[in-house]
Amino acid sequence: ESDAVALATNGIVTQAGNGNVSLTSLDGTITIDQVVTAHGTGTVTIDAQDTGSDGTNDLTITAAVSSTSGAISLTADQTISAGNTVGTTGDITATATTGAITSVGTDDILSGAKVDLAAATGIAAYTSATTLEATNSTSGNIVITESDAVALATNGIVTQAVNGNVSLTSLD
């Protein structure tokens, strides 16, 4: 799609096998307001690219995004806002190239084996991960609330922002 994307009433679901789901906007915001689910090892890839110059290339999630055990990849040229659960027993990668990653409320979590977050202007997320990695490159803080015990991945949690703070809280 070359403009903004919004899902229809029934969302996108693969119900059998290991089908993948890929949703890309070449120049516009993607709003996930209906369920997106990949069955089995199927992957979910959602990418709000910026091939133009309108500056509205966000990814907003207000309905569940999941895979049984496949990887989930979320990319936005600007901001990723998770207002509902993004979950898999596989890995989750979320990249906000020029913006921030945020999740709203303790029920709206990024849940996966490895959760890898990368943003430019800050990360404020609730996670449930076995392994966690986060990088913030330009400005803002990294504030992560983890629902249980977590191990840090090889690169750990890194802020490259001048005066950027890091806070990791485990609720377990």
Side-chain angles (χ1 to χ4, degrees):
E1 175 63 40
S2 63
D3 207 347
V5 174
L7 296 181
T9 303
N10 294 324
I12 300 173
V13 177
T14 63
Q15 294 181 333
N18 298 306
N20 300 321
V21 174
S22 179
L23 181 59
T24 301
S25 172
L26 298 178
D27 191 23
T29 293
I30 297 176
T31 301
I32 304 298
D33 56 3
Q34 299 296 324
V35 172
V36 174
T37 300
H39 183 268
T41 60
T43 61
V44 175
T45 303
I46 304 173
D47 188 359
Q49 298 178 8
D50 183 18
T51 58
S53 59
D54 62 4
T56 57
N57 307 97
D58 298 324
L59 171 55
T60 302
I61 300 167
T62 60
V65 173
S66 65
S67 173
T68 307
S69 61
I72 297 175
S73 174
L74 310 173
T75 306
D77 184 63
Q78 293 183 338
T79 299
I80 297 173
S81 175
N84 207 311
T85 299
V86 175
T88 179
T89 59
D91 296 343
I92 297 174
T93 302
T95 304
T97 307
T98 62
I101 297 172
T102 60
S103 61
V104 182
T106 57
D107 291 336
D108 305 320
I109 58 176
L110 302 166
S111 177
K114 178 181 179 188
V115 175
D116 187 351
L117 309 173
T121 61
I123 298 171
Y126 290 88
T127 62
S128 177
T130 304
T131 306
L132 178 65
E133 186 168 289
T135 303
N136 187 49
S137 64
T138 306
S139 63
N141 300 318
I142 298 175
V143 179
I144 297 174
T145 303
E146 168 64 29
S147 67
D148 51 18
V150 66
L152 296 182
T154 303
N155 292 327
I157 299 176
V158 177
T159 182
Q160 298 163 339
V162 175
N163 297 323
N165 298 307
V166 174
S167 172
L168 173 61
T169 303
S170 176
L171 300 177
D172 187 22

